[in-house]
């Protein structure tokens, strides 16, 4: 079955944001709301890519996902 080429990375991004929310540093309410917005954005992008295997992700969304990737990094918890 064909799959969108970025779908795996988007799943990793969603997991990364959720992990940050669980084990990340103590945050302000503004940072917490930003993490929730990022999670919603990534989840929406995931559903778009899941529905259409040939979905062309706009450049601004790719850049935003890259920002999320850097912002929500945590040490891997085993």
């Amino acid at each position: 079955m064909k799959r969108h080429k970025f779908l795996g990375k988007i799943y990793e991004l969603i997991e990364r944001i959720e992990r940050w929310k669980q084990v990340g540093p103590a945050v302000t309410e503004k940072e917490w709301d930003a993490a929730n917005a990022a999670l919603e954005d990534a989840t929406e992008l995931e559903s778009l890519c899941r529905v259409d295997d040939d979905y062309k992700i706009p450049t601004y969304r790719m850049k935003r996902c890259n920002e999320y990737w850097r912002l929500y990094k945590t040490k891997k918890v085993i």
Side-chain angles (χ1 to χ4, degrees):
M1 182 166 177
K2 188 176 175 185
R3 206 175 122 164
H4 194 278
K5 68 180 182 177
F6 290 118
L7 198 54
K9 282 289 191 183
I10 295 170
Y11 285 139
E12 287 180 43
L13 176 62
I14 291 170
E15 289 175 8
R16 194 172 180 142
I17 296 170
E18 289 173 344
R19 186 178 336 113
W20 181 89
K21 287 175 66 175
Q22 291 176 359
V23 298
V27 296
T28 64
E29 186 175 338
K30 186 176 178 180
E31 290 170 326
W32 186 260
D33 291 341
N36 285 331
L39 186 60
E40 285 181 30
D41 189 32
T43 305
E44 178 187 350
L45 185 58
E46 178 261 334
S47 65
L48 289 170
C49 291
R50 206 171 4 101
V51 170
D52 184 9
D53 296 333
D54 297 320
Y55 177 70
K56 172 124 173 60
I57 301 174
T59 305
Y60 75 93
R61 285 195 94 162
M62 291 294 284
K63 288 181 180 180
R64 195 178 323 152
C65 284
N66 284 334
E67 290 172 13
Y68 295 156
W69 187 264
R70 285 188 294 276
L71 184 62
Y72 298 111
K73 65 181 174 183
T74 59
K75 294 187 182 214
K76 197 89 166 176
V77 177
I78 298 173

